Amino acid sequence: MSHEANALTTDYTLNSNDVATFDAIIIGAGFSGLYQLHTLRDQLNLSAVVFDVAGDVGGTWYWNRYPGARCDSESYYYCYSFSKELQDEWRWTELYPQHDEIRRYLSHVADRFDLRRDIRLNTRVESAIFEEDTDTWLVSTNEGKSYRARFLISAVGVLSSANVPNIAGLDKFAGEWYHTGNWPHHPVDFSGKSVGIIGTGSTGIQAAPVVADQAKHLTVFQRTANYSVPARNRPLSSDDQQWIQDNYDEIRLKARTSTNGHPFDVNQESALEVSDEARQQRYEDAWTKGGLRFRASYRDLLQDKSANDTASEFIREKIRQVVKDPVTAEKLVPKDHPFASKRPPIDTNYFETFNRENVSLIDVKATPIVEITETGIKTTDAEYPLDVIIFATGFDAMTGSLLKIDIRGVGGRTLKETWAQGPRNYLGIQVPHFPNLFTVMGPGSPSVLTNNPVAIEQHVEWIRNCIRDMNDRRLSRIEPDPAAADEWVEEVNRAANKTLLPMASSSWYLGANVPGKPRAFMPYAGGMAYYANLSREIAENDYRGFVTR
Ligand code: NA7
């Protein structure tokens, strides 16, 4: 920390009487916001409030309740590790938790730590303006109220701003339509209906088999064929529960010290240094076991294109074996990007779904969607009558929700303008000229490349420690040195370029899925454990690269 000046900050007073004042304002009541509130209020004894536009806690999981919605990380480590008591008392019922079970868990956390009394639901933060005379943020909500705080913490989530593509005619569609990331709370009945799903990312791949089970007919509109590995979801037995409890310390340690927050052992061999038979057998075993750990089959799957080709080709062959109609199978076989260069989905009977009589696949790269009519979707080739359209078209990821808020830093500059060419920040956690603003899971941090709770806990605890250190040192202001931020952006690009991730040119990691969004590789691919150590070392070295006063 370079000390430009020392100021007494903990007992500052405010002139205005009608602005409620807190030490910290947190935006978002999901995994990040709930834990951040607990750390600041219950560990540092600060005053903090959480705002969330949703009607309950849950963050991303409040909104994502589409058919088939479940987490792709395994339940027993897609959860907090900070409280042993919480860990001991909670039992997950399935290997991959369904959306409602995750909501129940977060609701339990909110109750257990008595968080609700400091959470304002149904409240949208509309603007946040940094005022230099007091080094505080003035935050305004849709209720027309203003609040002031020294610290502003964005816990808005990385996949929380639904992306509905701008397809002509949607306003004329007479049927029902939904975006998966904004799913209604009432049950949606597909029985007897013709349903169309646009999108074959993780979401479309989860939803399609469930919708096909109920609908009269399902048409999947696919722009990019995707790799997917079977999840092999199952209920957790009492033996599983025992194993989890007996091994929790090791599971947590492994998750924290791994590349992406999953407690997997990555096979340290190269895919290219083993025999064809051994490689085939390893992929078969991983396929049978299922889940994202398929990626851990060899150490170089994400670094070396030739190594990756072996895994990509294995999955392509699996698709051809599963899907009976060879024409449909070939459409489903991904050819334009390496396996896992886009976020790899895992599924339950996705490819099998295309063997059903009531399911058809339309390749909208070959025959693009032209418009939505009153009665369905029209491509360059045909018109498909539909009662329901499901947009599984993803998110304005990583920056979308943050940039919807009018955030103004020093000199009135907006975050939107500041990031017009792509996000620039330091460690993904602070932006130059936006003092005392912290972004949990911000672009430039490992975030979406990880099992999220691991990345969230690391960020939340780093922010807590930083605020504690500032209070101890009686500092009022922290922000990155612009040079440190520039260097970090270079490091983010360097780390990405050491992997195959940039090869998926339409990936949301690059912002490529949202028209007009600047192309910049957003998550930090240098590895969770490396990033956590670096962040700790920077803090211990007087917050190297940050400027304080
Ligand atoms: P994704 O992964 O962004 O997938 C969105 C899908 O929607 C993808 O197949 C897109 O095709 C497709 N898409 C987007 N816009 C259109 C239009 N206009 N026309 C046709 N198809 C379109 O979002 P998900 O919700 O599936 O997953 C997001 C993350 O949530 C996931 O990675 C996990 O981390 C959890 P494209 O590939 O761009 O050609």
Side-chain angles (χ1 to χ4, degrees):
M1 221 178 238
S2 67
H3 301 217
E4 286 187 350
N6 275 332
L8 220 183
T9 60
T10 41
D11 55 356
Y12 70 97
T13 51
L14 293 163
N15 302 327
S16 168
N17 292 328
D18 51 11
V19 178
T21 300
F22 299 89
D23 291 305
I25 289 174
I26 299 160
I27 314 173
F31 267 100
S32 305
L34 293 179
Y35 183 34
Q36 192 75 73
L37 173 61
H38 177 59
T39 62
L40 299 185
R41 192 194 66 183
D42 304 331
Q43 297 174 355
L44 297 192
N45 223 0
L46 300 177
S47 63
V49 64
V50 176
F51 294 114
D52 198 308
V53 70
D56 202 349
V57 300
T60 293
W61 297 103
Y62 177 84
W63 303 102
N64 281 270
R65 32 181 103 203
Y66 58 87
R70 61 176 74 242
C71 185
D72 289 345
S73 288
E74 293 171 29
S75 53
Y76 58 95
Y77 60 82
Y78 184 78
C79 51
Y80 295 117
S81 70
F82 70 83
S83 161
K84 180 155 170 30
E85 295 75 25
L86 171 65
Q87 181 173 287
D88 286 347
E89 74 203 10
W90 187 265
R91 293 286 181 278
W92 293 97
T93 65
E94 290 181 275
L95 187 57
Y96 296 97
Q98 201 162 317
H99 59 97
D100 50 350
E101 190 169 18
I102 302 171
R103 274 197 304 282
R104 278 200 299 281
Y105 171 76
L106 290 174
S107 191
H108 168 73
V109 170
D111 292 334
R112 191 191 191 290
F113 296 97
D114 192 21
L115 300 175
R116 291 187 194 273
R117 67 187 152 92
D118 291 307
I119 300 174
R120 308 280 175 273
L121 297 167
N122 302 302
T123 308
R124 178 187 295 281
V125 169
E126 296 197 323
S127 68
I129 294 166
F130 185 72
E131 297 195 342
E132 287 200 76
D133 49 349
T134 53
D135 282 343
T136 59
W137 284 92
L138 185 65
V139 168
S140 301
T141 67
N142 61 335
E143 297 168 309
K145 290 188 185 156
S146 295
Y147 304 84
R148 195 181 291 277
R150 289 172 60 210
F151 299 104
L152 176 63
I153 298 156
S154 161
V156 296
V158 284
L159 295 163
S160 50
S161 195
N163 172 39
V164 180
N166 188 11
I167 302 176
L170 178 57
D171 54 331
K172 297 192 194 81
F173 182 58
E176 306 156 63
W177 70 267
Y178 307 102
H179 187 284
T180 50
N182 204 352
W183 198 258
H185 289 203
H186 60 79
V188 180
D189 183 12
F190 300 110
S191 48
K193 291 182 180 162
S194 292
V195 182
I197 293 186
I198 304 179
T200 52
S202 299
T203 300
I205 281 177
Q206 285 184 339
V210 183
V211 175
D213 254 350
Q214 297 170 18
K216 183 173 77 181
H217 192 88
L218 171 67
T219 308
V220 176
F221 295 87
Q222 169 191 277
R223 190 163 68 183
T224 305
N226 217 337
Y227 300 92
S228 184
V229 174
R232 313 281 183 214
N233 187 36
R234 58 182 167 79
L236 290 174
S237 65
S238 51
D239 282 355
D240 291 326
Q241 302 286 6
Q242 196 55 51
W243 178 85
I244 292 164
Q245 293 303 323
D246 291 347
N247 291 280
Y248 239 140
D249 288 350
E250 196 190 330
I251 292 165
R252 297 300 198 180
L253 181 67
K254 245 186 202 174
R256 272 196 292 270
T257 51
S258 72
T259 310
N260 44 22
H262 289 274
F264 302 159
D265 289 319
V266 179
N267 175 21
Q268 286 308 312
E269 291 171 305
S270 159
L272 302 175
E273 72 188 16
V274 296
S275 69
D276 290 353
E277 294 73 30
R279 192 188 314 113
Q280 190 70 10
Q281 192 55 54
R282 182 169 285 276
Y283 287 148
E284 279 293 349
D285 292 347
W287 187 265
T288 305
K289 202 157 190 186
L292 287 173
R293 65 183 78 217
F294 188 93
R295 253 187 329 196
S297 296
Y298 291 102
R299 67 169 154 76
D300 50 357
L301 291 188
L302 236 92
Q303 279 76 34
D304 184 310
K305 174 72 169 53
S306 304
N308 186 291
D309 285 345
T310 65
S312 298
E313 198 45 41
F314 177 87
I315 300 175
R316 291 186 191 114
E317 266 317 299
K318 283 288 180 198
I319 298 170
R320 292 183 182 112
Q321 284 163 20
V322 171
V323 181
K324 295 199 177 109
D325 171 38
V327 177
T328 305
E330 225 33 54
K331 281 187 198 164
L332 286 164
V333 167
K335 301 185 180 89
D336 65 353
H337 63 285
F339 164 65
S341 59
K342 285 180 149 185
R343 162 67 154 71
I346 59 174
D347 69 274
T348 302
N349 295 330
Y350 176 64
F351 295 114
E352 290 81 349
T353 295
F354 294 92
N355 294 331
R356 297 177 64 121
E357 302 250 302
N358 70 332
V359 174
S360 42
L361 176 70
I362 307 302
D363 176 354
V364 295
K365 202 164 252 168
T367 56
I369 296 173
V370 181
E371 62 171 328
I372 294 176
T373 66
E374 212 180 311
T375 53
I377 291 180
K378 196 169 169 184
T379 68
T380 50
D381 188 44
E383 183 163 353
Y384 300 90
L386 297 169
D387 303 305
V388 186
I389 300 175
I390 298 174
F391 289 93
T393 44
F395 301 89
D396 182 353
M398 305 207 69
T399 54
S401 295
L402 191 58
L403 294 180
K404 275 185 187 156
I405 304 167
D406 181 11
I407 300 178
R408 292 169 191 254
V410 172
R413 75 193 71 208
T414 67
L415 188 60
K416 204 169 181 166
E417 284 158 11
T418 305
W419 282 4
Q421 306 306 316
R424 295 187 88 72
N425 60 17
Y426 185 36
L427 295 174
I429 211 163
Q430 270 221 304
V431 188
H433 312 299
F434 292 79
N436 300 358
L437 166 67
F438 296 95
T439 52
V440 182
M441 301 266 279
S445 74
S447 57
V448 292
L449 298 178
T450 67
N451 167 45
N452 287 355
V454 174
I456 287 170
E457 287 191 329
Q458 186 269 335
H459 254 194
V460 164
E461 288 165 13
W462 193 95
I463 293 166
R464 172 201 61 197
N465 295 348
C466 178
I467 290 176
R468 182 199 58 209
D469 291 346
M470 288 188 66
N471 283 347
D472 288 351
R473 298 175 199 187
R474 304 185 149 220
L475 296 167
S476 69
R477 186 163 157 168
I478 181 165
E479 66 181 293
D481 182 340
D486 286 347
E487 183 137 326
W488 184 249
V489 173
E490 274 174 37
E491 165 62 10
V492 171
N493 288 326
R494 250 194 319 270
N497 288 331
K498 283 186 197 155
T499 72
L500 304 179
L501 293 166
M503 288 184 73
S505 57
S506 69
S507 153
W508 58 258
Y509 292 156
L510 276 162
N513 63 327
V514 176
K517 189 165 174 167
R519 296 264 171 134
F521 193 85
M522 291 183 288
Y524 179 56
M528 185 62 227
Y530 171 77
Y531 171 86
N533 284 335
L534 178 67
S535 303
R536 185 181 327 107
E537 185 257 326
I538 284 172
E540 284 167 2
N541 278 280
D542 213 13
Y543 289 87
R544 191 176 67 243
F546 290 90
V547 180
T548 58
R549 67 179 197 218

